[in-house]
Amino acid sequence: MWRQSALLVFLLLLVHQICATNEQEHACPPSSCGKITNITYPFRLRGDPKGCGDNRYELACENNVTVLYSYSGKYHVQAINYNNFTIRVVDPGVQQPNCSSLPRYFLSPTNFSDSDNFYLDRYQIQNRCYPWKRAFQKHIIFLNCRHAVIDNEKYVETDPCIKWHSKGYIYAIAGDLIAKDFEVGCEVKLVAPTSWWGLDTNNSSYTQMHRALLYGFELSWINLACVDQCGNPDCAFDAYSQKLQCSMYFCRNFLGGRRYFIEGAKGCKNC
Ligand SMILES: *[C@@H]1O[C@H](CO)[C@@H](O)[C@H](O)[C@H]1NC(C)=O
Ligand SMILES: *[C@@H]1O[C@H](CO)[C@@H](O)[C@H](O)[C@H]1NC(C)=O
Ligand SMILES: *[C@@H]1O[C@H](CO)[C@@H](O)[C@H](O)[C@H]1NC(C)=O
Ligand SMILES: *[C@@H]1O[C@H](CO)[C@@H](O)[C@H](O)[C@H]1NC(C)=O
Ligand SMILES: *[C@@H]1O[C@H](CO)[C@@H](O)[C@H](O)[C@H]1NC(C)=O
Ligand SMILES: *[C@@H]1O[C@H](CO)[C@@H](O)[C@H](O)[C@H]1NC(C)=O
Ligand SMILES: *[C@@H]1O[C@H](CO)[C@@H](O)[C@H](O)[C@H]1NC(C)=O
């Protein structure tokens, strides 16, 4: 009897301890910097009390601008969306309305693979299941060509915006990085991601591309959200219900009666 009571008291204390830790985390009021007024878990703002947010997701406030230090650079935070676990950032080199302003950093998909804090692929899997959803990230690719490229409509002239101190012609293409798009005699000078939905890969003027760069690109902390909500990093974001699914395998019933089976990295099938 005594033993049982002692165990019960111990358990109660343990539960209280766990709840207190959780309460502390949730008791942190959201922080604010410039136009980002709701900085909360997993983010923290430099200077927030210890224990608020996750140290790996620390943001800074510089001259009233929320800044993310990541990928060997710093990026200006445009928006944080806690519903779909995305943060949208813009390269500080890109300025409005100056279409001559260029991204400061060269960032292609390979740069993202070595970071543990943000992920892209979970959404890319989703895109195969929901073909009407836009790509999570596209790219603007700047090329310096020795010859004028006239027979490839993807190549958009950047004149009079971009003036590089180099010979030849500067073009920009929008879309995915596909080897067959690269013409002989052209060199890739700069790659910058964008999540702007308005990019039509076949018919973009450079002004549109600059707008896309100003919009910035999204990063996601979905793997952390999966660990928090499901206990493991392998869950999926169901773009249809806008909710996390604690399995990579699930069946979705569409209004039109079509069903898809999300099969992890393999894509989708009917189920
Ligand atoms: C900081 O930004 C906010 C939102 O854009 C604005 O309301 C505020 O006046 C700015 N403060 C300073 C000191 O510039
Ligand atoms: C801030 O975001 C948190 C997390 O999603 C949410 O619970 C809270 O209501 C938001 N607060 C405001 C003021 O938008
Ligand atoms: C996340 O939500 C924001 C705000 O609704 C939206 O603009 C963005 O496209 C969403 N991103 C993804 C990957 O669904
Ligand atoms: C526009 O951006 C370019 C490249 O960064 C810079 O050289 C130029 O001074 C800028 N023009 C204005 C008006 O800010
Ligand atoms: C991204 O990777 C490329 C090539 O691997 C490298 O040149 C570039 O500096 C990297 N970008 C950043 C911002 O670290
Ligand atoms: C772009 O052009 C390619 C080839 O001409 C075509 O297959 C594709 O459907 C076009 N995409 C759009 C969005 O118009
Ligand atoms: C391309 O864009 C221009 C200007 O916005 C428009 O006039 C033209 O019809 C578009 N062409 C195609 C094939 O969409």
Side-chain angles (χ1 to χ4, degrees), residues 15 35 77 79 90 164 169 184 199 217 231 242 262:
V15 166
K35 63 181 175 183
V77 178
V90 73
W164 246 311
Y169 304 81
V184 176
L199 263 186
F217 58 97
Q242 295 278 304
I262 316 262

Side-chain angles (χ1 to χ4, degrees), residues 96-169:
Q96 203 172 18
N98 185 353
C99 81
S100 303
S101 60
L102 278 165
R104 199 180 284 176
Y105 308 114
F106 184 115
L107 268 185
S108 72
T110 51
N111 294 86
F112 293 102
S113 54
D114 52 359
S115 165
D116 288 327
N117 297 349
F118 293 109
Y119 307 88
L120 311 171
D121 53 333
R122 208 47 66 76
Y123 287 96
Q124 271 147 13
I125 291 166
Q126 293 291 301
N127 286 335
R128 282 181 233 152
C129 304
Y130 305 101
W132 62 88
K133 286 259 162 194
R134 65 191 173 75
F136 188 52
Q137 276 192 6
K138 289 185 173 182
H139 294 86
I140 309 289
I141 303 141
F142 294 89
L143 300 117
N144 186 9
C145 301
R146 271 184 272 132
H147 314 283
V149 177
I150 43 172
D151 53 353
N152 189 333
E153 54 189 15
K154 283 195 169 175
Y155 280 62
V156 172
E157 284 186 37
T158 59
D159 204 47
C161 291
I162 309 300
K163 301 216 182 323
W164 246 311
H165 300 291
S166 57
K167 290 194 181 122
Y169 304 81

Side-chain angles (χ1 to χ4, degrees), residues 35-250:
K35 63 181 175 183
I36 311 298
T37 54
N38 192 3
I39 299 172
T40 184
Y41 182 86
F43 294 100
R44 56 176 273 113
L45 198 59
R46 192 168 291 171
D48 277 353
K50 246 172 125 180
C52 290
D54 185 320
N55 288 335
R56 292 170 297 170
Y57 296 85
E58 185 169 83
L59 304 172
C61 192
E62 295 177 2
N63 304 319
N64 211 20
V65 174
T66 309
V67 171
L68 168 74
Y69 282 89
S70 209
Y71 309 113
S72 7
K74 74 172 195 182
Y75 301 86
H76 293 174
V77 178
Q78 301 299 299
I80 301 178
N81 195 292
Y82 295 96
N83 296 321
N84 61 17
F85 319 105
T86 58
I87 179 170
R88 179 160 53 88
V89 300
V90 73
D91 186 300
V94 186
Q95 289 145 12
Q96 203 172 18
N98 185 353
C99 81
S100 303
S101 60
L102 278 165
R104 199 180 284 176
Y105 308 114
F106 184 115
L107 268 185
S108 72
T110 51
N111 294 86
F112 293 102
S113 54
D114 52 359
S115 165
D116 288 327
N117 297 349
F118 293 109
Y119 307 88
L120 311 171
D121 53 333
R122 208 47 66 76
Y123 287 96
Q124 271 147 13
I125 291 166
Q126 293 291 301
N127 286 335
R128 282 181 233 152
C129 304
Y130 305 101
W132 62 88
K133 286 259 162 194
R134 65 191 173 75
F136 188 52
Q137 276 192 6
K138 289 185 173 182
H139 294 86
I140 309 289
I141 303 141
F142 294 89
L143 300 117
N144 186 9
C145 301
R146 271 184 272 132
H147 314 283
V149 177
I150 43 172
D151 53 353
N152 189 333
E153 54 189 15
K154 283 195 169 175
Y155 280 62
V156 172
E157 284 186 37
T158 59
D159 204 47
C161 291
I162 309 300
K163 301 216 182 323
W164 246 311
H165 300 291
S166 57
K167 290 194 181 122
Y169 304 81
I170 307 290
Y171 294 98
I173 60 181
D176 302 317
L177 288 163
I178 309 167
K180 74 169 167 61
D181 287 341
F182 299 139
E183 301 268 338
V184 176
C186 295
E187 186 197 353
V188 175
K189 297 284 280 186
L190 184 61
V191 176
T194 172
S195 300
W196 195 48
W197 43 268
L199 263 186
D200 177 345
T201 46
N202 285 355
N203 192 22
S204 289
S205 66
Y206 185 68
T207 321
Q208 263 185 300
M209 294 189 190
H210 187 255
R211 244 180 100 183
L213 292 172
L214 268 174
Y215 180 80
F217 58 97
E218 287 177 311
L219 298 164
S220 173
W221 67 92
I222 188 164
N223 283 29
L224 175 71
C226 287
V227 169
D228 286 349
Q229 290 189 25
C230 306
N232 74 78
D234 292 322
C235 71
F237 183 71
D238 181 5
Y240 191 75
S241 67
Q242 295 278 304
K243 288 202 167 69
L244 278 188
Q245 297 279 342
C246 282
S247 163
M248 304 277 263
Y249 304 83
F250 64 96

